[in-house]
Amino acid sequence: MTDSKYFTTTKKGEIFELKAELNSDKKEKKKEAVKKVIASMTVGKDVSALFPDVVNCMQTDNLELKKLVYLYLMNYAKSQPDMAIMAVNTFVKDCEDPNPLIRALAVRTMGCIRVDKITEYLCEPLRKCLKDEDPYVRKTAAVCVAKLHDINAQLVEDQGFLDTLKDLISDSNPMVVANAVAALSEIAESHPSSNLLDLNPQSINKLLTALNECTEWGQIFILDCLANYMPKDDREAQSICERVTPRLSHANSAVVLSAVKVLMKFMEMLSKDLDYYGTLLKKLAPPLVTLLSAEPELQYVALRNINLIVQKRPEILKHEMKVFFVKYNDPIYVKLEKLDIMIRLASQANIAQVLAELKEYATEVDVDFVRKAVRAIGRCAIKVEQSAERCVSTLLDLIQTKVNYVVQEAIVVIKDIFRKYPNKYESVIATLCENLDSLDEPEARAAMIWIVGEYAERIDNADELLESFLEGFHDESTQVQLQLLTAIVKLFLKKPTETQELVQQVLSLATQDSDNPDLRDRGYIYWRLLSTDPVAAKEVVLAEKPLISEETDLIEPTLLDELICYIGTLASVYHKPPSAFVEGSRGVVHKSLPPRTGSSESAESPEAAPSAGQAAEQPAVIPAQGDLLGDLLNLDLGPPVSGPPLATSSVQMGAVDLLGGGLDSLMGGSGGFAAPSPAVPPSMGAPLGSGLGDLFDLTGGVGTLSGSYVAPKSVWLPAMKAKGLEISGTFSRQVGSISMDLVLTNKALQVMSDFAIQFNRNSFGLAPAAPLQVHAPLAPNQSVEISLPLNTVGSVMKMDPLNNLQVAVKNNIDVFYFSTLYPLHILFVEDGKMERQMFLATWKDIPNENEAQFQIKDCSLSADAVSSKLQGSNIFTIAKRNVEGQDMLYQSLKLTNGIWVLAELRIQPSNPTFTLSLKCRAPEVSQHVYQAYDTILKN
């Protein structure tokens, strides 16, 4: 009989009967009763009242019964935490059972019971199971650590489980290794700052050894972990690739894609001249092709990934065009994706094949697919110049079919072909004009109107054709109205005598009768141009148009590199980085490909930095308090990005005078200012005699190496507010690392111990980089000095004021809270010196309303002393010049979250008041930067 009988009871006193059966002496009856309980629980009935009775059934050596009871326990422990404690003893006992299956079952269930009260009792059994002699128990225990970390991270760290997990990476059993890697990766994801998976060549070697022998999911965990490793040179990258390549022939598509991800990433480091590089390219094609013989859903995922791979390295699949030809029974989503890849792979060698195939598709029945096929023919014409003629004749054949949507799509792509190859295929215009009446879609109508306006001088009845569109002007879509307005103005400028009435008609329709602001504005511009200066109108409206580029839908290169690091995940299907669709407070770490070997651009060189077009890097705004996405995203939670800020893309064009006056003499004009010293790496002082003074100030014997100003300690938490604990402190920055320097004083009558510290979310993600180490208990009237290292990869939330930090400190007496303001200059990074050209362009690029002016009073330093003092705190002077007796210093600094601040400091020799102008894309920072200037210069 099947298990369905357990679901059929509807008696009144059901719970009561079950209670009696659960307490029965007969084992079989007990088991039946537990099955009924589980069945009721599954269909959503509340059987929590039976908790004590079910827990009593745990004391059994029947594995099936034990599993059922554990299942019940997982479900109800959260709602009955006090009862769940009753089960703890049995867990502890089961973890020492001679049967490894029972030990593993106990540990697995412990991890699933998310009840804080119980977790502490589970540490001992878990510690034993992590060192169990049976690998099945060890691998289960490894996953349990990750689950426990999710419930209580502090407990896991205090108990030393993370170190035990790291040891398991060198376990003899491959499955244990895989689970340890999976657990550490999971924990590392929720704590991007912790360097848990400290991968080095030795541990990588162990992972690669385990890779051959563990299950497919274990292989995926290990491959994903390998993908996060950065080999030290191309030889190491090659040896890893050689050992990962056999995974390409695995039957599981997830393993294949994870292997492809590792290879695509490490190929960046291999020189293209290597024989191995060519071999690897050849080896990558067959597995990708094999993925396309799976079921349609898997094919789609594979195709979305192949789309990325083809954009990054088209040479991998250039000979595999035939695989992407569409089958008659492919679902539409697979067809459209295959078409996309076909066009990406189209080249002179295979264009004939591709065109024949596309022409075939254009006669299919699926309208969406046919449209895309016709567009594809046009895209091929634009991509492969030699094929343009064949493409145009194919399109003409399709127009002759007179199928409405085919004609419309063909006209849209022919317009693009005209833009790419002007004065070549205009002979087809007559054919296009014959189909004018059948066009009913805005895009096709707009394209046709553009063609008529652009080639009006070659079309005898152009005015009649355009006039026919004017009759229903107000019923047209905006796109068509705008196009019609421009086309008629073009026609007027080419044949002014015949079309005067027509142009007046369209201008009055556009300006007086229309309520669309875009249309009205364009109408008025044309009206004024034509009435004031027809010659200028001709130059504007009939100007030479730039040729269109071939691939308009390529993914932007930095995003593509990031997506390659996410092959085989949801990001590679959406073609969006995880930060765009993953919500929550976990910092999404931005991944990027390793720098190419042999390329002249090192990762640090400013020239290699992306140009301004890529807004993705622009951390312009600090997210507002309580803004969830702000928490996640807007501050780059990865390591600080080196390289200059985002300026306008024109910067890369060499020394263009971007400002036309104003700051331009900065670039070496007549103003006799000193050339700035070369950029100084953070670990070295400025070159001696550079006018910036010796940064090290070795003669003064100052403790802080980089000379950054440290404020004296002040009391943050008075003893009367914290039961006798007094905390005073300050913040400092030394050689690139930030620390919070604390003095803890015990003014109570009892000993204090067990200190810990935690920060609330804050504007710049400041967080402790290590636990608060107070090595011995703090006796009454004793003080201890501690330097707590900080990092900036914590959770982010905009505070008011911006530099507010809320801190909680715990000891054996209680938890105490206080807040303090940190000086912003501890966040000024060492690579904040902007290149001059970039400084100019950025200054111009930041809108004027973002500029703020401040007065620094009672400061009697010379310009050189100011420059030297500020450089000690990572405010770098880019240039200095003298204008009418006053010194102007142009300076840049960069915050840990990538925000740049540009400054102009005016110093008059006799006047103790300096004027500071600050420009920044996040103006809310300016006030605090001014305070930093004020503090540094006056101390």
Side-chain angles (χ1 to χ4, degrees), residues 75-110:
N75 199 30
Y76 282 118
K78 204 160 181 87
S79 58
Q80 307 258 352
D82 299 333
M83 294 291 225
I85 290 185
M86 292 164 43
V88 166
N89 276 339
T90 318
F91 279 138
V92 176
K93 252 169 62 188
D94 280 357
C95 284
E96 294 177 6
D97 194 278
N99 181 348
L101 287 176
I102 289 184
R103 297 202 295 273
L105 181 65
V107 131
R108 179 180 293 125
T109 312
M110 276 164 26

mmCIF file of all heavy atoms in Angstrom, residues 75-110:
data_model
loop_
_atom_site.group_PDB
_atom_site.id
_atom_site.type_symbol
_atom_site.label_atom_id
_atom_site.label_comp_id
_atom_site.label_asym_id
_atom_site.label_seq_id
_atom_site.Cartn_x
_atom_site.Cartn_y
_atom_site.Cartn_z
ATOM 1 N N ASN A 75 11.233 21.594 11.371
ATOM 2 C CA ASN A 75 10.092 22.433 11.000
ATOM 3 C C ASN A 75 9.584 23.256 12.183
ATOM 4 O O ASN A 75 9.222 24.416 12.038
ATOM 5 C CB ASN A 75 8.976 21.534 10.458
ATOM 6 C CG ASN A 75 7.983 22.327 9.636
ATOM 7 O OD1 ASN A 75 8.333 23.327 9.017
ATOM 8 N ND2 ASN A 75 6.743 21.905 9.645
ATOM 9 N N TYR A 76 9.556 22.637 13.382
ATOM 10 C CA TYR A 76 8.879 23.308 14.501
ATOM 11 C C TYR A 76 9.823 23.920 15.537
ATOM 12 O O TYR A 76 9.374 24.601 16.446
ATOM 13 C CB TYR A 76 7.919 22.343 15.194
ATOM 14 C CG TYR A 76 6.644 22.169 14.409
ATOM 15 C CD1 TYR A 76 6.266 20.932 13.897
ATOM 16 C CD2 TYR A 76 5.813 23.274 14.147
ATOM 17 C CE1 TYR A 76 5.100 20.783 13.158
ATOM 18 C CE2 TYR A 76 4.647 23.125 13.404
ATOM 19 C CZ TYR A 76 4.297 21.887 12.923
ATOM 20 O OH TYR A 76 3.143 21.754 12.189
ATOM 21 N N ALA A 77 11.140 23.696 15.372
ATOM 22 C CA ALA A 77 12.064 24.205 16.401
ATOM 23 C C ALA A 77 11.973 25.717 16.513
ATOM 24 O O ALA A 77 12.080 26.278 17.601
ATOM 25 C CB ALA A 77 13.489 23.791 16.065
ATOM 26 N N LYS A 78 11.742 26.392 15.383
ATOM 27 C CA LYS A 78 11.733 27.859 15.410
ATOM 28 C C LYS A 78 10.541 28.390 16.216
ATOM 29 O O LYS A 78 10.649 29.364 16.949
ATOM 30 C CB LYS A 78 11.685 28.387 13.977
ATOM 31 C CG LYS A 78 12.240 29.791 13.885
ATOM 32 C CD LYS A 78 12.644 30.120 12.471
ATOM 33 C CE LYS A 78 13.205 31.518 12.405
ATOM 34 N NZ LYS A 78 14.587 31.662 12.665
ATOM 35 N N SER A 79 9.383 27.712 16.060
ATOM 36 C CA SER A 79 8.199 28.212 16.775
ATOM 37 C C SER A 79 8.167 27.715 18.230
ATOM 38 O O SER A 79 7.419 28.231 19.040
ATOM 39 C CB SER A 79 6.924 27.790 16.037
ATOM 40 O OG SER A 79 6.900 26.388 15.928
ATOM 41 N N GLN A 80 8.961 26.680 18.546
ATOM 42 C CA GLN A 80 8.943 26.138 19.924
ATOM 43 C C GLN A 80 10.386 26.062 20.461
ATOM 44 O O GLN A 80 10.873 24.975 20.798
ATOM 45 C CB GLN A 80 8.367 24.711 19.909
ATOM 46 C CG GLN A 80 7.038 24.589 19.235
ATOM 47 C CD GLN A 80 5.899 24.495 20.233
ATOM 48 O OE1 GLN A 80 6.122 24.372 21.417
ATOM 49 N NE2 GLN A 80 4.680 24.571 19.767
ATOM 50 N N PRO A 81 11.097 27.198 20.536
ATOM 51 C CA PRO A 81 12.524 27.110 20.898
ATOM 52 C C PRO A 81 12.753 26.490 22.276
ATOM 53 O O PRO A 81 13.711 25.742 22.467
ATOM 54 C CB PRO A 81 12.994 28.574 20.862
ATOM 55 C CG PRO A 81 11.752 29.404 20.852
ATOM 56 C CD PRO A 81 10.657 28.581 20.298
ATOM 57 N N ASP A 82 11.840 26.754 23.230
ATOM 58 C CA ASP A 82 12.072 26.212 24.579
ATOM 59 C C ASP A 82 11.973 24.694 24.574
ATOM 60 O O ASP A 82 12.696 23.995 25.276
ATOM 61 C CB ASP A 82 11.050 26.799 25.560
ATOM 62 C CG ASP A 82 11.196 28.321 25.625
ATOM 63 O OD1 ASP A 82 12.323 28.779 25.365
ATOM 64 O OD2 ASP A 82 10.203 29.025 25.896
ATOM 65 N N MET A 83 11.028 24.177 23.759
ATOM 66 C CA MET A 83 10.879 22.709 23.671
ATOM 67 C C MET A 83 12.085 22.108 22.950
ATOM 68 O O MET A 83 12.540 21.018 23.286
ATOM 69 C CB MET A 83 9.624 22.378 22.855
ATOM 70 C CG MET A 83 8.350 22.806 23.543
ATOM 71 S SD MET A 83 8.091 21.780 24.965
ATOM 72 C CE MET A 83 6.382 21.403 24.781
ATOM 73 N N ALA A 84 12.578 22.836 21.941
ATOM 74 C CA ALA A 84 13.649 22.266 21.117
ATOM 75 C C ALA A 84 14.880 21.950 21.958
ATOM 76 O O ALA A 84 15.649 21.044 21.628
ATOM 77 C CB ALA A 84 14.009 23.243 19.996
ATOM 78 N N ILE A 85 15.054 22.683 23.051
ATOM 79 C CA ILE A 85 16.234 22.431 23.902
ATOM 80 C C ILE A 85 16.203 20.993 24.432
ATOM 81 O O ILE A 85 17.235 20.382 24.664
ATOM 82 C CB ILE A 85 16.286 23.473 25.046
ATOM 83 C CG1 ILE A 85 16.635 24.819 24.431
ATOM 84 C CG2 ILE A 85 17.286 23.080 26.119
ATOM 85 C CD1 ILE A 85 16.842 25.937 25.384
ATOM 86 N N MET A 86 14.969 20.440 24.559
ATOM 87 C CA MET A 86 14.864 19.041 25.040
ATOM 88 C C MET A 86 15.619 18.081 24.124
ATOM 89 O O MET A 86 16.064 17.022 24.552
ATOM 90 C CB MET A 86 13.386 18.616 25.075
ATOM 91 C CG MET A 86 12.584 19.348 26.140
ATOM 92 S SD MET A 86 10.790 19.188 25.870
ATOM 93 C CE MET A 86 10.560 17.487 25.448
ATOM 94 N N ALA A 87 15.719 18.458 22.866
ATOM 95 C CA ALA A 87 16.321 17.518 21.908
ATOM 96 C C ALA A 87 17.840 17.572 21.902
ATOM 97 O O ALA A 87 18.489 16.727 21.290
ATOM 98 C CB ALA A 87 15.798 17.836 20.509
ATOM 99 N N VAL A 88 18.410 18.582 22.595
ATOM 100 C CA VAL A 88 19.856 18.778 22.486
ATOM 101 C C VAL A 88 20.632 17.542 22.926
ATOM 102 O O VAL A 88 21.584 17.119 22.277
ATOM 103 C CB VAL A 88 20.285 20.018 23.298
ATOM 104 C CG1 VAL A 88 21.789 20.051 23.485
ATOM 105 C CG2 VAL A 88 19.830 21.273 22.584
ATOM 106 N N ASN A 89 20.203 16.935 24.045
ATOM 107 C CA ASN A 89 20.946 15.771 24.560
ATOM 108 C C ASN A 89 21.042 14.665 23.531
ATOM 109 O O ASN A 89 22.067 14.015 23.378
ATOM 110 C CB ASN A 89 20.274 15.237 25.826
ATOM 111 C CG ASN A 89 20.745 16.029 27.024
ATOM 112 O OD1 ASN A 89 21.798 16.660 26.954
ATOM 113 N ND2 ASN A 89 19.975 16.031 28.096
ATOM 114 N N THR A 90 19.908 14.456 22.834
ATOM 115 C CA THR A 90 19.903 13.378 21.845
ATOM 116 C C THR A 90 20.888 13.687 20.714
ATOM 117 O O THR A 90 21.584 12.791 20.228
ATOM 118 C CB THR A 90 18.482 13.224 21.251
ATOM 119 O OG1 THR A 90 17.558 13.331 22.309
ATOM 120 C CG2 THR A 90 18.330 11.889 20.567
ATOM 121 N N PHE A 91 20.942 14.977 20.308
ATOM 122 C CA PHE A 91 21.928 15.347 19.273
ATOM 123 C C PHE A 91 23.330 14.993 19.719
ATOM 124 O O PHE A 91 24.097 14.389 18.990
ATOM 125 C CB PHE A 91 21.905 16.872 19.040
ATOM 126 C CG PHE A 91 20.799 17.310 18.152
ATOM 127 C CD1 PHE A 91 20.050 18.446 18.429
ATOM 128 C CD2 PHE A 91 20.502 16.593 16.997
ATOM 129 C CE1 PHE A 91 19.039 18.853 17.597
ATOM 130 C CE2 PHE A 91 19.493 16.999 16.167
ATOM 131 C CZ PHE A 91 18.743 18.127 16.462
ATOM 132 N N VAL A 92 23.616 15.404 20.955
ATOM 133 C CA VAL A 92 24.976 15.185 21.458
ATOM 134 C C VAL A 92 25.281 13.697 21.457
ATOM 135 O O VAL A 92 26.352 13.251 21.073
ATOM 136 C CB VAL A 92 25.111 15.798 22.868
ATOM 137 C CG1 VAL A 92 26.483 15.507 23.448
ATOM 138 C CG2 VAL A 92 24.859 17.296 22.807
ATOM 139 N N LYS A 93 24.254 12.895 21.857
ATOM 140 C CA LYS A 93 24.461 11.438 21.884
ATOM 141 C C LYS A 93 24.630 10.876 20.471
ATOM 142 O O LYS A 93 25.518 10.083 20.187
ATOM 143 C CB LYS A 93 23.257 10.767 22.582
ATOM 144 C CG LYS A 93 23.656 10.243 23.963
ATOM 145 C CD LYS A 93 22.539 9.805 24.840
ATOM 146 C CE LYS A 93 21.719 8.641 24.286
ATOM 147 N NZ LYS A 93 20.527 8.479 25.189
ATOM 148 N N ASP A 94 23.726 11.373 19.568
ATOM 149 C CA ASP A 94 23.766 10.848 18.191
ATOM 150 C C ASP A 94 25.080 11.193 17.492
ATOM 151 O O ASP A 94 25.498 10.500 16.569
ATOM 152 C CB ASP A 94 22.597 11.410 17.370
ATOM 153 C CG ASP A 94 21.311 10.652 17.678
ATOM 154 O OD1 ASP A 94 21.393 9.688 18.464
ATOM 155 O OD2 ASP A 94 20.238 11.013 17.148
ATOM 156 N N CYS A 95 25.700 12.280 17.917
ATOM 157 C CA CYS A 95 26.969 12.650 17.281
ATOM 158 C C CYS A 95 28.084 11.704 17.685
ATOM 159 O O CYS A 95 29.187 11.781 17.158
ATOM 160 C CB CYS A 95 27.355 14.088 17.649
ATOM 161 S SG CYS A 95 26.378 15.275 16.727
ATOM 162 N N GLU A 96 27.807 10.837 18.664
ATOM 163 C CA GLU A 96 28.840 9.861 19.045
ATOM 164 C C GLU A 96 28.379 8.448 18.753
ATOM 165 O O GLU A 96 28.956 7.482 19.217
ATOM 166 C CB GLU A 96 29.162 10.038 20.536
ATOM 167 C CG GLU A 96 29.806 11.396 20.785
ATOM 168 C CD GLU A 96 30.084 11.671 22.250
ATOM 169 O OE1 GLU A 96 29.880 10.742 23.060
ATOM 170 O OE2 GLU A 96 30.497 12.791 22.565
ATOM 171 N N ASP A 97 27.315 8.326 17.965
ATOM 172 C CA ASP A 97 26.774 7.006 17.608
ATOM 173 C C ASP A 97 27.811 6.248 16.763
ATOM 174 O O ASP A 97 28.527 6.857 15.974
ATOM 175 C CB ASP A 97 25.496 7.228 16.784
ATOM 176 C CG ASP A 97 24.688 5.957 16.653
ATOM 177 O OD1 ASP A 97 25.025 5.130 15.767
ATOM 178 O OD2 ASP A 97 23.735 5.785 17.429
ATOM 179 N N PRO A 98 27.889 4.923 16.928
ATOM 180 C CA PRO A 98 28.869 4.178 16.108
ATOM 181 C C PRO A 98 28.532 4.246 14.611
ATOM 182 O O PRO A 98 29.419 4.116 13.770
ATOM 183 C CB PRO A 98 28.770 2.744 16.633
ATOM 184 C CG PRO A 98 27.547 2.706 17.504
ATOM 185 C CD PRO A 98 27.270 4.098 17.968
ATOM 186 N N ASN A 99 27.252 4.475 14.262
ATOM 187 C CA ASN A 99 26.882 4.476 12.842
ATOM 188 C C ASN A 99 27.156 5.870 12.234
ATOM 189 O O ASN A 99 26.544 6.851 12.642
ATOM 190 C CB ASN A 99 25.393 4.132 12.733
ATOM 191 C CG ASN A 99 24.933 4.097 11.280
ATOM 192 O OD1 ASN A 99 25.648 4.535 10.380
ATOM 193 N ND2 ASN A 99 23.748 3.577 11.066
ATOM 194 N N PRO A 100 28.070 5.971 11.236
ATOM 195 C CA PRO A 100 28.388 7.290 10.676
ATOM 196 C C PRO A 100 27.167 7.977 10.044
ATOM 197 O O PRO A 100 27.065 9.200 10.058
ATOM 198 C CB PRO A 100 29.446 7.009 9.611
ATOM 199 C CG PRO A 100 29.429 5.532 9.383
ATOM 200 C CD PRO A 100 28.899 4.900 10.635
ATOM 201 N N LEU A 101 26.223 7.195 9.521
ATOM 202 C CA LEU A 101 25.031 7.805 8.911
ATOM 203 C C LEU A 101 24.249 8.591 9.961
ATOM 204 O O LEU A 101 23.746 9.692 9.697
ATOM 205 C CB LEU A 101 24.129 6.736 8.297
ATOM 206 C CG LEU A 101 24.644 6.116 7.000
ATOM 207 C CD1 LEU A 101 23.720 4.998 6.550
ATOM 208 C CD2 LEU A 101 24.761 7.162 5.909
ATOM 209 N N ILE A 102 24.157 8.016 11.183
ATOM 210 C CA ILE A 102 23.403 8.701 12.246
ATOM 211 C C ILE A 102 24.176 9.933 12.714
ATOM 212 O O ILE A 102 23.610 10.999 12.928
ATOM 213 C CB ILE A 102 23.112 7.731 13.409
ATOM 214 C CG1 ILE A 102 22.055 6.722 12.939
ATOM 215 C CG2 ILE A 102 22.647 8.493 14.655
ATOM 216 C CD1 ILE A 102 21.588 5.749 13.991
ATOM 217 N N ARG A 103 25.507 9.800 12.815
ATOM 218 C CA ARG A 103 26.314 10.974 13.223
ATOM 219 C C ARG A 103 26.097 12.120 12.220
ATOM 220 O O ARG A 103 25.899 13.268 12.594
ATOM 221 C CB ARG A 103 27.806 10.617 13.282
ATOM 222 C CG ARG A 103 28.151 9.560 14.315
ATOM 223 C CD ARG A 103 29.618 9.634 14.710
ATOM 224 N NE ARG A 103 30.559 9.334 13.643
ATOM 225 C CZ ARG A 103 30.993 8.123 13.320
ATOM 226 N NH1 ARG A 103 30.546 7.067 13.995
ATOM 227 N NH2 ARG A 103 31.871 7.947 12.350
ATOM 228 N N ALA A 104 26.154 11.779 10.935
ATOM 229 C CA ALA A 104 26.001 12.818 9.905
ATOM 230 C C ALA A 104 24.601 13.406 9.937
ATOM 231 O O ALA A 104 24.411 14.619 9.795
ATOM 232 C CB ALA A 104 26.294 12.228 8.529
ATOM 233 N N LEU A 105 23.597 12.544 10.149
ATOM 234 C CA LEU A 105 22.205 13.015 10.179
ATOM 235 C C LEU A 105 22.027 14.021 11.326
ATOM 236 O O LEU A 105 21.383 15.063 11.163
ATOM 237 C CB LEU A 105 21.270 11.812 10.371
ATOM 238 C CG LEU A 105 19.780 12.141 10.396
ATOM 239 C CD1 LEU A 105 19.327 12.689 9.050
ATOM 240 C CD2 LEU A 105 18.951 10.904 10.740
ATOM 241 N N ALA A 106 22.631 13.703 12.474
ATOM 242 C CA ALA A 106 22.495 14.592 13.635
ATOM 243 C C ALA A 106 23.118 15.951 13.328
ATOM 244 O O ALA A 106 22.535 17.001 13.585
ATOM 245 C CB ALA A 106 23.173 13.964 14.844
ATOM 246 N N VAL A 107 24.307 15.907 12.727
ATOM 247 C CA VAL A 107 24.997 17.167 12.441
ATOM 248 C C VAL A 107 24.229 17.981 11.392
ATOM 249 O O VAL A 107 24.113 19.195 11.487
ATOM 250 C CB VAL A 107 26.448 16.858 12.001
ATOM 251 C CG1 VAL A 107 26.839 17.559 10.763
ATOM 252 C CG2 VAL A 107 27.399 17.266 13.080
ATOM 253 N N ARG A 108 23.677 17.265 10.403
ATOM 254 C CA ARG A 108 22.936 17.981 9.343
ATOM 255 C C ARG A 108 21.707 18.670 9.947
ATOM 256 O O ARG A 108 21.404 19.816 9.646
ATOM 257 C CB ARG A 108 22.516 17.000 8.248
ATOM 258 C CG ARG A 108 21.724 17.676 7.136
ATOM 259 C CD ARG A 108 21.321 16.708 6.050
ATOM 260 N NE ARG A 108 22.488 16.231 5.322
ATOM 261 C CZ ARG A 108 22.800 14.956 5.149
ATOM 262 N NH1 ARG A 108 22.023 14.020 5.672
ATOM 263 N NH2 ARG A 108 23.864 14.600 4.476
ATOM 264 N N THR A 109 20.997 17.970 10.823
ATOM 265 C CA THR A 109 19.783 18.549 11.418
ATOM 266 C C THR A 109 20.137 19.724 12.322
ATOM 267 O O THR A 109 19.469 20.753 12.330
ATOM 268 C CB THR A 109 19.032 17.471 12.226
ATOM 269 O OG1 THR A 109 18.921 16.306 11.413
ATOM 270 C CG2 THR A 109 17.656 17.948 12.607
ATOM 271 N N MET A 110 21.247 19.571 13.073
ATOM 272 C CA MET A 110 21.670 20.671 13.944
ATOM 273 C C MET A 110 21.843 21.966 13.158
ATOM 274 O O MET A 110 21.462 23.045 13.597
ATOM 275 C CB MET A 110 23.019 20.330 14.592
ATOM 276 C CG MET A 110 22.871 19.497 15.816
ATOM 277 S SD MET A 110 24.400 18.694 16.362
ATOM 278 C CE MET A 110 25.713 19.668 15.770
#
